[in-house]
Amino acid sequence: MTIYDELVARGLIAQLTDEEEIKELINNGKATFYIGFDPTADSLHVGHFMALCLMKRLQMAGNKPIALIGGGTGMIGDPSGRTDMRQMMTEETIAHNCECFKQQMSRFIDFSEGKALMVNNADWLKELNYIEVLREVGPHFSVNRMLTAECYKQRMEKGLSFLEFNYMIMQSYDFYALYQKYGCNMQFGGDDQWSNMLGGTELIRRKLGKDAYAMTITLLLNSEGKKMGKTQSGAVWLDPNKTSPFDFYQYWRNVADADVRKCLRMLTFLPLAQIDEMDGWEGSQLNQAKEILAYELTKLVHGEEEAAKAQEGARALFGSGAQNTENMPTVALTDEDFTDGAIDILTLVAKSGLVPSKSEGRRAVTQGGVMVNGEKITDIKQSYTKADFETEFILKKGKKNFMKMTLG
């Protein structure tokens, strides 16, 4: 099976141009391709997972990835999939977020010896002269055609700023710049990026001639990835300080039955034949498939040791027999967390990270969704002293969210 056939079999490709040329390039390791990442936070999340896995797959097949960090486009903000304008970030925040991305991407992509590149589009976008952009780039974009793009249509009712209207032009210019600087001949992106990507392909061909290589492939990165990246309590981050390896494991362990095999195909590097054998799995076998998914993805992001600890911890907590808390995620309390020698249940639940705020904690407590050492807590005024944490103190929210609380 060729790498192109594998991408199709794993359900990754949604749309593409020049299929035969694309096959020729990626199957023979001749593609220099890029995927863009706007630095809107200081960590990647599981919504980026599919893109990172794709880059790893193609690099393993001999192709050269370019991870494009959107230090320049991030100053404008992508309107795709949004009903309002993104909050403007400072240059310092963008620079910090870009550095965090670099560290996380290195777990997926081998940047040694020029095998991959990591570049920041601020390096060329910030140097552009406004008049030059209008004259050299503007003529190649039809306003009428731009307004038919889905990313703009859904914003027209509430108002689309001129700032955001330029995002397509900036992203298109990225492909043009990468083609000229690094010989980038292919771009990948989510299915909501199709119009922006076609703009880049057209810009290259209009300015450099029809013979210029410029291919586009869109994947189900955003429609599936963004759904994967969000839970009721917020984003699932790749940074272990934001989402612990245990919680990361549990997120994938709890995917819907209908999604587990799809996630195995799209996100893991297990052989397709092994995954195909799971098609008839039901009941306890399906739970086994979820364990495999959770372990493989946690290993990919956090390493084999953390994946094994997360799996052991989850099995001890949710399996039969006595509860083993050795590998349970832990939060240490400090002196500052106590007021007059005590900490109330709402502060405790918020400190644990099991809820995003005290107000959410209040709701969980009053609804009977919080337990301490197996005892249901319904009094929001319940408090604990340091002595209560000298022995094992297990906080539980709902059926599957645990945290061991200790004294720092």
Side-chain angles (χ1 to χ4, degrees), residues 15 154 215 251 292 401:
Q15 297 183 77
Q154 59 189 354
M215 314 292 179
Y251 172 77
I292 293 171
N401 299 303

Side-chain angles (χ1 to χ4, degrees), residues 171-217:
Q171 183 173 332
S172 299
Y173 192 87
D174 282 343
F175 195 17
Y176 173 70
L178 290 169
Y179 179 90
Q180 290 193 299
K181 290 176 179 287
Y182 306 109
C184 180
N185 53 22
M186 193 174 297
Q187 59 179 333
F188 287 76
D191 57 354
D192 62 349
Q193 297 292 314
W194 184 241
S195 297
N196 295 351
M197 294 168 66
L198 287 180
T201 299
E202 284 299 309
L203 181 60
I204 290 174
R205 291 180 176 176
R206 285 173 178 268
K207 289 191 67 66
L208 302 179
K210 293 183 179 179
D211 293 334
Y213 267 159
M215 314 292 179
T216 57
I217 296 183

Side-chain angles (χ1 to χ4, degrees), residues 240-247 306 309-310 313 317 324-334 337 348-354 389 391-395 401-408:
N241 295 315
K242 288 178 173 288
T243 300
S244 71
F246 179 88
D247 289 334
E306 291 295 336
K309 287 167 60 177
L317 285 173
N324 183 337
T325 64
E326 181 181 355
N327 292 315
M328 184 185 294
T330 301
V331 170
L333 300 172
T334 65
D337 294 318
L348 187 64
V349 175
K351 176 71 176 180
S352 73
L354 296 178
F389 299 93
T391 56
E392 195 163 74
F393 191 105
I394 307 300
L395 190 61
N401 299 303
F402 293 81
M403 191 65 67
K404 181 162 60 175
M405 309 300 293
T406 64
L407 293 176

Side-chain angles (χ1 to χ4, degrees), residues 12 65 200 212 231 391:
L12 291 169
T231 67
T391 56

